[in-house]
């Protein structure tokens, strides 16, 4: 198995991730952008959330501006509206919903009217409205908003009597305020006229004609109105019924839109968009929300307090749990669309490569989302797609992939238990367990050999998850075949996995029988080595055990037997987040990986108990006391934050030790013939730059063969280099009696050649 | 027409090739990555042609160009 950089930025290949239908189906699962319940119920589409937020912040002017957006006559609407928003308020499920009309009235009472004229150009076509009722009054306001010159024919003598006739419930103050508004509007009132007579006389003067309900019926007995558009098509007359305040206001809005269409000589039913109240699919959790009662709105303070009760309904279940989504501040719907576009573009910058490769592929979102949105699947498909078209850079994943090849190459070991021709089991501890806790793995294997009948083989290697996570499906396929062949040579025994992710991965490969070591330990009982801990610990469930209740329960029972007082944290069990190792985030995006680890640790101040070695290691690196369950079971500690080189030496060392101890085989380590030492700065830089000690040694071996080096006069250090695979490594060193002292190491992926 | 160089590093006589025992000189070199070439001037041994890439260059400009190309 080999990894080669075969990309070229000059090769343009593209493959769609999803069909359009599949993309839309996935996107539709995300309800984040669905309207809030109150907003969805309002046919006028009042943005109640924004109104409440403005009021809660004391911005009454903004609140009024929001309210005036939906109606020309806020006094009439705020006092007469039937308010379906209030009965839809989510808070009503717990206690009392928000008093939305009270808030509207507070905005009117304390907010200043926005200044400035409409940006719309005055229309050429003029409109006339004959007869007064609530509908025709609202329509006049709506048409003025659209900048039509409006003439209003009515029998009333003045604005105040008109308002009082149309909205008799208004207080004197509100009626006067509305009449004042009417005077400010660009309406030519024809007071004290007979609307029906005026209609026959003047209708030809106007491009658009509208009439109050009763007037229209008088003019045309038996008149039929298309209620969807509020137009009597035959007469080209705009009219509508007045069944209630909200119905009149909404009818006027629909009628005004019809006026637009008629003015453009279009069918009034043409491209109207979504009108009226809608059904919303929003999900809003009421967890942690306390029931509360309405606060009577008497002044600005009480209005602000009532508005502050609004919980601003929205769905962010995924973001609350996932550090990755929080980092990119994007909801799955928009993220999916951007990833889809990223994969689809042929030329240009692929801006979403980083987010595609930063997801831990842990699947937490699919559990947290009320509709099961699976962002991990989207990112995984995108990675495979980009690998297939040659658009996936190798750089972010190469170190991890090389690590997998190392686990299944140099460090790989597959042996039957000494003395057994056939084994009933094979212990598969996983690459991270061998890398981080070789002593624990050794103790576990010896214990299984001692207490299980039928022989226990050992397989030290990688389950292939790394190749799968990287989207390198060819390499993964080769790994699956390789493991299949090796397991076949052992007689295909039952696999005892040491890691929940390995268990999941091996099962997905169709391996017949895979159990976790924890299940075996429950059957056998704890060994004598078990260390009892009478102390509280926070249990972190491995993301590899998501959906595996059997494993989660088994771990809790074993922890209890060990005396641990297990404290479940928020987001435990199936909801558990990834520690930052999964999906190769640790390699592709250290910043996001760190945020993931911190997010795990924020959940409890206690020491953490985990059952995945990668989790254990990442928590320890953040300075938290961190233990793997098997460390307690076997009283054998893991290494404390081994660096990338130590993780390799641990795997090799374990192989060497067990080969000698159990199978009497000597694994000779290559004698270099020279010694290499490192300054502390060099060690730190190498770990940070993902440069292995074995890389440095190969460069120095090349130096000894070629003699190629440069002396830096300023520092007095020598510098040499060698190309290893896809990377050129440079080593800065000084010579010592027995070999070299490495002061620094760096690398680049570009090749550099002479140019004549 | 003068050669286009994306980057120039002058050794200023402070680098010595240990194989050839001579000073490195400013010479023509080319970085290649993912089928893209970038002509540069770097310290080069006039005899064996060893091209020296300083640490700051590798971790700075070279790395940023690599990343930009990887996302093309």
């Amino acid at each position: 198995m080999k990894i080669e950089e075969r990309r070229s930025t000059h090769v343009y290949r593209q493959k769609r991730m999803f069909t359009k239908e599949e993309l839309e189906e996935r996107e539709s699962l995300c309800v984040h952008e669905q309207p809030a319940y109150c907003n969805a119920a309002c046919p006028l589409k009042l943005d109640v959330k924004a109104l409440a937020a403005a009021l809660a912040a004391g911005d009454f002017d903004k609140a009024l501006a929001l309210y005036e957006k939906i109606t020309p006559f806020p006094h009439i609407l705020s006092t007469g509206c039937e308010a379906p928003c209030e009965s839809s308020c989510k808070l009503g499920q717990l206690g009392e919903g928000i008093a939305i009309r009270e808030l509207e009235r507070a905005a009117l009472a304390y907010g200043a009217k926005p200044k400035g004229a409409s940006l719309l150009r005055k229309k050429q076509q003029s409109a006339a409205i004959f007869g007064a009722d609530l509908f025709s009054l609202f329509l006049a306001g709506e048409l003025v908003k659209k900048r039509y010159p409006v003439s209003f024919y009515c029998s009333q003598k003045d604005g105040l009597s008109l308002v009082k006739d149309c909205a008799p419930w208004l207080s004197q103050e509100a009626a006067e305020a509305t009449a004042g508004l009417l005077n400010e509007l660009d309406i030519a009132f024809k007071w004290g006229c007979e609307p029906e007579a005026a209609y026959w006389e003047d209708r030809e003067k106007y491009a658009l004609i509208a009439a109050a309900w009763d007037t229209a019926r008088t003019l045309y007995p038996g008149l039929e109105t298309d209620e969807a558009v509020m137009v009597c098509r035959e007469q080209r007359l705009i009219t509508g019924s007045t069944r209630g305040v909200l119905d009149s206001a909404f009818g006027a809005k629909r009628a005004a839109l019809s006026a637009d269409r008629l003015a453009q000589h279009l069918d009034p039913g043409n491209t109207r968009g979504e009108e009226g109240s809608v059904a919303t699919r929003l999900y809003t959790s009421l967890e942690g929300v306390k029931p509360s009662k309405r606060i009577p709105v008497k002044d600005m303070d009480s209005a602000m307090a009532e508005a502050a009760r609004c919980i601003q309904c929205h769905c962010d279940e995924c973001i609350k749990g996932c550090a990755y989504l929080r980092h990119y501040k994007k909801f799955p719907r928009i993220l999916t669309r951007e990833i889809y576009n990223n994969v689809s573009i042929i030329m240009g910058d692929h801006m979403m490569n980083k987010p595609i490769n930063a997801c831990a592929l842990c699947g937490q979102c699919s559990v947290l989302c009320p509709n099961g949105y699976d962002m991990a699947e989207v990112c995984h498909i995108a990675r495979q797609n980009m690998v297939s078209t040659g658009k996936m850079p190798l750089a972010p994943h190469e170190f991890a992939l090389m690590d997998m090849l190392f686990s299944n190459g140099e460090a790989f070991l597959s042996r039957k238990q000494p003395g057994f021709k056939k084994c009933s089991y094979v212990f598969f501890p996983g690459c991270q367990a061998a890398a981080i806790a070789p002593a624990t793995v050794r103790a576990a294997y010896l214990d299984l050999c001692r207490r299980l009948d039928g022989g226990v083989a050992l397989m030290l290697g990688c389950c292939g998850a790394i190749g799968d996570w990287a989207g390198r499906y060819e390499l993964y396929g080769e790994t699956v075949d390789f493991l299949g062949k090796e397991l076949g040579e052992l007689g295909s025994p039952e696999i005892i996995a040491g890691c929940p992710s390995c268990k999941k991965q091996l099962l997905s490969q169709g391996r017949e029988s895979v159990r976790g070591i924890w299940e075996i330990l429950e059957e056998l009982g704890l060994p004598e080595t078990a260390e009892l801990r009478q102390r509280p610990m926070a249990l972190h469930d491995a993301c590899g055990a998501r959906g595996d209740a059997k494993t989660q329960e088994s771990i809790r029972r074993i922890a209890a037997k060990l005396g641990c007082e297990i404290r479940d944290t928020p987001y435990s069990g199936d909801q558990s987040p990834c520690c930052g190792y999964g999906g190769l985030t640790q390699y592709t995006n250290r910043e996001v990986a760190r945020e993931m680890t911190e997010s795990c640790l924020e959940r409890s101040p206690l020491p953490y108990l985990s059952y995945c070695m990668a989790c254990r290691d990442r928590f320890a690196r953040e300075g938290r006391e961190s233990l793997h369950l098997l460390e307690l079971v076997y009283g054998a500690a893991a290494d404390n934050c081994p660096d990338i080189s130590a993780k390799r030496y641990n795997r090799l060392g374990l192989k060497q030790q067990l080969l000698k101890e159990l199978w009497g085989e000597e694994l000779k380590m290559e004698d270099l013939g020279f010694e290499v030492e490192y300054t502390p700065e060099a060690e730190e830089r190498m770990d940070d730059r993902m440069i292995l000690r074995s890389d440095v040694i190969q460069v120095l071996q090349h130096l000894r063969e070629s003699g190629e080096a440069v002396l830096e006069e300023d520092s007095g250090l020598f510098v040499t280099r060698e190309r290893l695979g896809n990377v050129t490594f440079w080593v800065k060193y000084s010579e010592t009696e027995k070999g070299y002292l490495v002061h620094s190491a760096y690398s680049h992926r570009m090749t550099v050649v002479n140019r004549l | 027409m003068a050669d286009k160089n994306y980057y120039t590093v002058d050794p200023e006589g402070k680098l010595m090739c240990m194989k050839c025992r001579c000073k490195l000189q400013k010479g023509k070199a080319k970085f290649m990555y993912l089928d893209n070439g970038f002509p540069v001037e770097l310290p080069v041994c006039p005899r064996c042609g060893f091209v020296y890439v300083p640490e700051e260059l590798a971790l700075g400009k070279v790395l940023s160009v690599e990343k930009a190309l990887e996302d093309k």
Side-chain angles (χ1 to χ4, degrees):
Chain A
M1 282 181 257
K2 250 176 37 177
I3 306 169
E4 270 181 292
E5 181 67 270
R6 287 177 299 200
R7 270 203 72 201
S8 166
T9 56
H10 304 300
V11 174
Y12 306 119
R13 277 195 293 165
Q14 181 232 35
K15 198 171 93 182
R16 272 179 188 273
M17 263 176 81
F18 308 121
T19 60
K20 192 167 161 279
E21 291 74 27
E22 193 183 350
L23 175 69
E24 282 169 2
E25 196 181 318
R26 282 179 187 271
E27 286 179 333
S28 71
L29 294 176
C30 181
V31 295
H32 173 68
E33 283 162 327
Q34 286 282 308
Y37 310 96
C38 47
N39 177 242
C42 175
L44 304 177
K45 300 192 190 302
L46 173 65
D47 191 347
V48 182
K49 270 164 63 178
L51 180 99
L55 288 177
D59 192 345
F60 287 79
D61 297 352
K62 186 179 173 188
L64 180 58
L66 284 165
Y67 193 50
E68 288 199 326
K69 250 184 176 176
I70 64 152
T71 181
F73 302 117
H75 291 91
I76 300 178
L77 193 65
S78 66
T79 50
C81 179
E82 293 82 357
C85 52
E86 289 189 1
S87 49
S88 308
C89 178
K90 187 85 178 170
L91 272 184
Q93 292 177 10
L94 282 178
E96 287 183 348
I98 301 288
I100 298 168
R101 277 173 301 184
E102 295 276 352
L103 297 185
E104 293 166 359
R105 290 196 279 270
L108 257 177
Y110 308 117
K113 213 175 146 50
K115 285 176 188 158
S118 166
L119 293 173
L120 289 175
R121 214 170 52 186
K122 196 162 179 171
K123 302 270 189 347
Q124 296 295 319
Q125 298 98 323
S126 55
I129 299 171
F130 297 91
D133 62 9
L134 205 44
F135 164 78
S136 68
L137 186 62
F138 273 124
L139 178 60
E142 296 289 350
L143 289 174
V144 169
K145 268 187 167 182
K146 288 179 179 286
R147 303 280 282 143
Y148 287 101
V150 176
S151 297
F152 197 100
Y153 293 78
C154 61
S155 57
Q156 286 79 3
K157 302 279 183 241
D158 55 29
L160 188 61
S161 54
L162 171 64
V163 171
K164 282 189 167 177
D165 281 356
C166 293
W169 67 88
L170 283 183
S171 65
Q172 180 68 21
E173 194 185 346
E176 281 172 12
T178 307
L181 266 177
L182 271 179
N183 287 334
E184 289 170 23
L185 297 179
D186 185 13
I187 302 176
F189 283 101
K190 315 284 182 189
W191 302 117
C193 68
E194 186 61 46
E196 290 83 4
Y199 173 82
W200 295 117
E201 203 170 308
D202 286 357
R203 63 175 175 157
E204 298 299 333
K205 294 181 191 167
Y206 304 99
L208 302 164
I209 317 276
W213 181 255
D214 289 344
T215 311
R217 271 18 183 214
T218 311
L219 291 168
Y220 301 103
L223 183 77
E224 279 189 21
T225 311
D226 180 349
E227 288 279 333
V229 292
M230 314 297 276
V231 173
C232 313
R233 288 175 185 265
E234 198 186 323
Q235 293 79 11
R236 280 179 65 86
L237 179 66
I238 301 168
T239 187
S241 62
T242 308
R243 280 188 288 255
V245 178
L246 186 55
D247 193 50
S248 300
F250 178 43
K253 259 203 191 315
R254 296 206 306 281
L257 187 61
S258 295
D260 268 344
R261 298 291 174 270
L262 290 170
Q264 295 163 52
H265 306 291
L266 295 171
D267 185 292
N270 202 319
T271 55
R272 297 182 67 94
E274 196 176 55
E275 291 176 293
S277 57
V278 291
T280 182
R281 295 187 296 115
L282 184 68
Y283 171 84
T284 297
S285 167
L286 289 175
E287 204 184 315
V289 179
K290 288 185 184 146
S292 56
K293 291 202 161 188
R294 284 186 173 177
I295 298 163
V297 177
K298 293 173 186 157
D299 48 25
M300 288 172 94
D301 286 344
S302 53
M304 287 164 68
E306 175 63 4
R309 286 205 311 129
C310 172
I311 56 168
Q312 296 287 316
C313 288
H314 63 287
C315 180
D316 61 355
E317 296 304 298
C318 54
I319 282 216
K320 279 194 282 188
C322 173
Y324 161 72
L325 291 172
R326 278 202 299 278
H327 180 88
Y328 287 105
K329 299 184 180 68
K330 284 184 175 143
F331 284 87
R333 193 196 71 77
I334 195 82
L335 198 55
T336 301
R337 176 61 66 132
E338 288 181 14
I339 286 174
Y340 175 84
N341 291 342
N342 185 88
V343 167
S344 302
I345 55 170
I346 298 173
M347 292 173 75
D349 289 333
H350 291 67
M351 308 297 281
M352 296 303 284
N353 281 6
K354 254 194 149 179
I356 287 171
N357 285 330
C359 172
L361 307 183
C362 74
Q364 184 201 30
C365 48
S366 66
V367 177
L368 296 180
C369 171
N371 296 321
Y373 206 113
D374 196 344
M375 208 54 230
E377 194 178 46
V378 172
C379 289
H380 193 216
I381 292 171
R383 290 183 199 181
Q384 289 175 329
N385 182 297
M386 290 173 67
V387 167
S388 75
T389 56
K391 287 289 172 198
M392 175 60 87
L394 185 56
H397 296 135
E398 187 172 15
F399 187 90
L401 292 169
M402 297 289 281
D403 208 53
M404 180 177 85
L405 296 194
F406 171 79
S407 291
N408 287 345
E410 210 179 330
F412 185 77
L413 180 66
S414 178
R415 286 281 192 287
K416 287 176 190 157
Q417 183 176 338
F420 284 82
K421 284 189 176 165
K422 193 172 177 299
C423 288
S424 303
Y425 309 95
V426 55
F427 179 42
F428 193 98
C431 60
Q432 291 307 298
I436 296 160
T440 319
V441 171
R442 176 182 168 273
Y445 181 57
L446 296 180
D447 178 49
L448 294 174
C449 286
R450 189 169 56 84
R451 295 199 289 155
L452 275 177
D453 294 328
V456 185
L458 176 68
M459 189 175 284
L460 297 178
C462 169
C463 62
I466 289 175
D468 186 31
W469 288 340
R472 303 272 160 183
Y473 51 88
E474 286 174 349
L475 190 66
Y476 179 56
E478 286 173 33
T479 307
V480 173
D481 292 346
F482 167 76
L483 291 177
K485 188 175 143 281
E486 292 292 336
L487 287 166
E489 281 175 16
L490 294 175
S492 301
E494 179 178 10
I495 301 170
I496 302 172
C499 157
S501 287
C502 294
K503 180 188 169 193
K504 185 179 165 190
Q505 201 73 35
L506 292 165
L507 280 170
S508 76
Q509 294 165 9
R511 314 280 173 216
E512 271 176 24
S513 180
V514 188
R515 280 198 288 169
I517 188 171
W518 44 92
E519 292 167 65
I520 306 291
L521 284 171
E522 277 212 284
E523 281 175 17
L524 295 175
L526 293 176
E528 293 150 7
T529 48
E531 283 184 8
L532 297 185
R533 296 265 169 144
Q534 297 291 345
R535 56 187 296 204
M537 296 190 87
L539 182 72
H540 174 79
D541 283 292
C543 56
R546 196 179 315 289
D548 184 354
K550 217 168 141 188
T551 291
Q552 294 168 16
E553 285 159 16
S554 172
I555 296 291
R556 281 164 174 75
R557 284 192 296 268
I558 295 174
K561 279 184 196 159
L562 287 163
C564 299
E565 293 168 33
I566 288 303
R567 302 283 163 82
D568 273 327
T569 59
Y571 295 107
S572 67
D574 279 350
Q575 297 189 338
S576 192
C578 172
C579 66
Y581 179 81
L584 306 180
T585 310
Q586 173 174 303
Y587 300 99
T588 58
N589 197 320
R590 287 188 218 178
E591 192 187 349
V592 174
R594 185 148 194 201
E595 286 166 18
M596 288 174 179
T597 315
E598 283 166 357
S599 175
C600 288
L601 294 176
E602 272 167 11
R603 295 178 294 153
S604 171
L606 293 170
Y608 267 52
L609 181 67
S610 47
Y611 47 101
C612 163
M613 208 52 87
C615 303
R616 186 244 178 254
D617 188 49
R618 287 199 63 85
F619 297 156
R621 276 172 204 281
E622 286 300 312
R624 184 63 63 90
E625 189 184 343
S626 169
L627 283 165
H628 189 284
L629 187 83
L630 291 181
E631 289 180 83
L632 292 181
V633 169
Y634 291 109
D639 280 12
N640 187 32
C641 308
D643 66 18
I644 52 170
S645 292
K647 282 182 180 174
R648 286 208 172 183
Y649 282 113
N650 279 346
R651 273 172 279 181
L652 271 186
L654 178 66
K655 176 180 173 180
Q656 188 184 29
Q657 183 185 13
L658 290 175
L659 269 179
K660 188 173 177 186
E661 196 177 355
L662 296 174
W663 291 280
E665 292 177 34
E666 279 286 352
L667 182 69
K668 285 251 163 72
M669 294 286 193
E670 191 190 355
D671 182 16
L672 295 173
F674 60 92
E675 281 181 17
V676 187
E677 294 168 285
Y678 301 85
T679 64
E681 294 78 24
E683 281 183 337
E684 201 177 304
R685 284 178 192 171
M686 284 164 58
D687 200 43
D688 182 52
R689 296 170 187 175
M690 310 294 276
I691 297 172
L692 295 162
R693 269 170 265 173
S694 57
D695 298 327
V696 169
I697 288 168
Q698 284 188 71
V699 175
L700 292 172
Q701 280 175 321
H702 172 76
L703 163 75
R704 291 168 79 87
E705 288 160 17
S706 68
E708 288 176 352
V710 165
L711 172 65
E712 284 184 347
E713 282 184 11
D714 281 350
S715 64
L717 296 174
F718 299 104
V719 190
T720 185
R721 56 97 184 89
E722 170 66 334
R723 182 91 182 161
L724 303 174
N726 303 309
V727 181
T728 302
F729 292 92
W730 292 80
V731 175
K732 255 183 206 184
Y733 65 95
S734 56
E735 290 176 347
T736 60
E737 206 175 306
K738 292 182 180 171
Y740 307 95
L741 174 62
V742 175
H743 294 258
S744 185
Y746 57 98
S747 67
H748 52 79
R749 301 181 69 83
M750 288 205 186
T751 54
V752 59
V753 291
N754 290 100
R755 179 165 60 101
L756 296 175
Chain B
M1 202 173 86
D3 273 358
K4 185 180 180 185
N5 287 308
Y6 283 88
Y7 204 84
T8 298
V9 178
D10 191 337
E12 294 168 348
K14 291 178 177 173
L15 297 167
M16 157 103 74
C17 175
M18 295 310 291
K19 190 176 172 185
C20 309
R21 297 278 161 189
C22 63
K23 299 261 183 195
L24 266 56
Q25 294 169 2
K26 188 166 81 174
K28 290 179 179 179
K30 189 159 85 166
F31 276 116
M32 294 288 298
Y33 194 48
L34 309 179
D35 282 353
N36 297 273
F38 303 93
V40 287
E41 287 180 319
L42 291 178
V44 177
C45 173
R47 291 197 193 155
C48 69
F50 186 104
V51 185
Y52 172 76
V53 179
E55 188 164 358
E56 314 78 68
L57 177 62
L59 301 176
K61 191 79 183 165
V62 169
L63 183 65
S64 64
V65 174
E66 281 174 4
K67 284 186 185 299
L69 284 173
E70 281 157 10
D71 289 340
K72 282 282 172 204

